[in-house]
Amino acid sequence: MKLAFIIDPIERLDPTHDTSVALMETAQLAGHQVFITQATDLSVRDSQAWAKLLPVTLAPVTLGEGRWLAVEDWFSLGEALWQPLEAMDAVFMRTDPPVTVPYLYATYLLDYVNPAKTLVINRPSGIRAANEKMYALQFTSVIPETIVTSDREIIRAFVERRGAAVLKPLGGKAGEGILFLEPGDRNFNSLVEISTQRGQVPVMVQQFLPEAKAGDKRVILLNGEPIGAVNRVPTGSEFRGNMAVGGAAVKVAVTDRDREIAAALAPTLQRDGLIFVGIDVIGGYLTEVNVTSPTGMREIDRLDGVRLGDRVLDWLAQNSPTQ
């Protein structure tokens, strides 16, 4: 197969952690052709989506002393060439959030990939529909109590009633801007003013789950089915478990509750073309649905002795329009 990955500049990626690199590496090892591009290198010509594609060759990571190791020069690039994306079997949209206006424009350009010839993972319209905080709210049977508002007094009443809460920016990633709120905090007004830009921007406020101390589980879903999980445990005085803020990756199994949550999501994810998704689960509750560039694959592969990329490629081989 020919596979294209729309990523952030490759020199900024961490090959020992990044899921995009893990997917590309697995594809290369399986003998597929791998190309990369950036969202800024997309265009539409004659109602077709094109991209400036660069063939990439990766030096696979190795496992040593319980961690992934990469050589200094871990990738090399071939000559860039503008090509129609429908020449690819699949295109992975893996640009990191936030979902800015240029990000949205990139998804509009990807709408012009012919789905009868090329599969886009995840579907552009699905990415637009699935704000990674808001999307979870439709699954009321599996989420904790949650509100979305820009009103300070509504937030205050929620926090006082629940005893504690977590505030999340709707466009954040990797734990950025997440705040712990509790009644009586003398900084409460300032925290809410900053987060809501003085009442102009809505935020998510979610009941605090004490089980967060035991970890924030990332479960990888492939077409709605759980294929692996990793627990991200807060370290030190940090209440967030995100690996980007120092959370420790710990081996964990996919549980019956995780499968129950996935089953509740699967029909909607499949309807929206959200094939490769990472859900976050705390204390048996769904807290987020990550669809832009979900991570965790490297950690699951290392801890479980698997290669989840093989599962993705097997699925793709069976479901690509040209296979």
Side-chain angles (χ1 to χ4, degrees):
M1 293 186 289
K2 291 183 177 181
L3 306 177
F5 290 79
I6 305 169
I7 57 175
D8 294 302
I10 190 168
E11 63 273 11
R12 299 182 192 172
L13 304 185
D14 179 356
T16 68
H17 169 70
D18 193 275
T19 292
S20 298
V21 179
L23 287 167
M24 291 190 291
E25 181 182 295
T26 302
Q28 175 184 287
L29 291 171
H32 303 299
Q33 297 180 62
V34 180
F35 301 84
I36 62 169
T37 190
Q38 295 181 46
T40 51
D41 289 325
L42 303 177
S43 66
V44 171
R45 309 180 197 175
D46 299 322
S47 297
Q48 282 188 328
W50 287 62
K52 186 168 68 174
L53 297 172
L54 294 88
V56 60
T57 301
L58 305 172
V61 297
T62 57
L63 192 60
E65 299 180 357
R67 60 191 181 97
W68 292 118
L69 304 172
V71 297
E72 183 175 356
D73 297 322
W74 59 272
F75 71 90
S76 61
L77 302 175
E79 183 179 355
L81 181 65
W82 281 96
Q83 299 184 56
L85 284 173
E86 67 178 43
M88 301 290 111
D89 292 281
V91 175
F92 288 81
M93 176 55 167
R94 294 279 308 171
T95 303
D96 281 344
V99 179
T100 58
V101 170
Y103 194 116
L104 287 174
Y105 288 166
T107 69
Y108 290 132
L109 295 175
L110 290 173
D111 283 335
Y112 287 89
V113 176
N114 186 345
K117 296 183 177 180
T118 303
L119 184 64
V120 179
I121 302 173
N122 288 314
R123 185 187 298 160
S125 60
I127 292 175
R128 292 195 294 271
N131 174 276
E132 296 186 326
K133 305 298 189 296
M134 294 289 295
Y135 196 76
L137 298 186
Q138 61 193 295
F139 307 105
T140 54
S141 65
V142 295
I143 63 169
E145 185 179 1
T146 305
I147 62 172
V148 177
T149 183
S150 58
D151 188 288
R152 182 179 64 194
E153 294 311 312
I154 292 176
I155 297 173
R156 185 190 301 278
F158 182 90
V159 173
E160 290 178 350
R161 181 168 59 82
R162 296 300 319 186
V166 175
L167 182 152
K168 301 179 180 181
L170 294 181
K173 66 178 178 68
E176 294 173 354
I178 295 179
L179 302 172
F180 177 77
L181 302 178
E182 55 186 341
D185 188 335
R186 291 184 294 178
N187 292 309
F188 180 88
N189 288 344
S190 292
L191 292 173
V192 174
E193 287 170 4
I194 293 169
S195 298
T196 65
Q197 297 181 28
R198 293 186 174 271
Q200 299 303 302
V201 177
V203 294
M204 171 179 281
V205 184
Q206 208 162 57
Q207 75 176 86
F208 175 67
L209 299 170
E211 296 89 344
K213 296 177 183 178
D216 180 352
K217 182 188 287 189
R218 164 61 52 84
V219 183
I220 300 293
L221 305 185
L222 179 61
N223 198 33
E225 178 189 354
I227 61 171
V230 61
N231 203 24
R232 301 164 299 176
V233 180
T235 56
S237 59
E238 176 63 71
F239 78 96
R240 299 170 296 176
N242 306 74
M243 288 181 285
V245 294
V250 177
K251 181 181 174 66
V252 69
V254 175
T255 65
D256 289 342
R257 176 58 174 172
D258 299 331
R259 294 186 183 92
E260 180 183 337
I261 293 171
L265 273 63
T268 305
L269 296 175
Q270 291 163 357
R271 179 200 69 192
D272 292 339
L274 298 172
I275 303 301
F276 189 79
V277 170
I279 61 171
D280 294 342
V281 178
I282 298 176
Y285 287 101
L286 172 71
T287 60
E288 291 186 21
V289 181
N290 298 272
V291 304
T292 51
S293 59
T295 190
M297 180 178 286
R298 281 293 200 207
E299 288 71 28
I300 296 169
D301 286 353
R302 174 175 60 83
L303 293 167
D304 291 353
V306 297
R307 190 186 293 273
L308 290 188
D310 289 334
R311 296 280 300 273
V312 177
L313 290 174
D314 288 345
W315 183 91
L316 189 58
Q318 297 175 31
N319 292 276
S320 174
T322 57
Q323 298 302 305

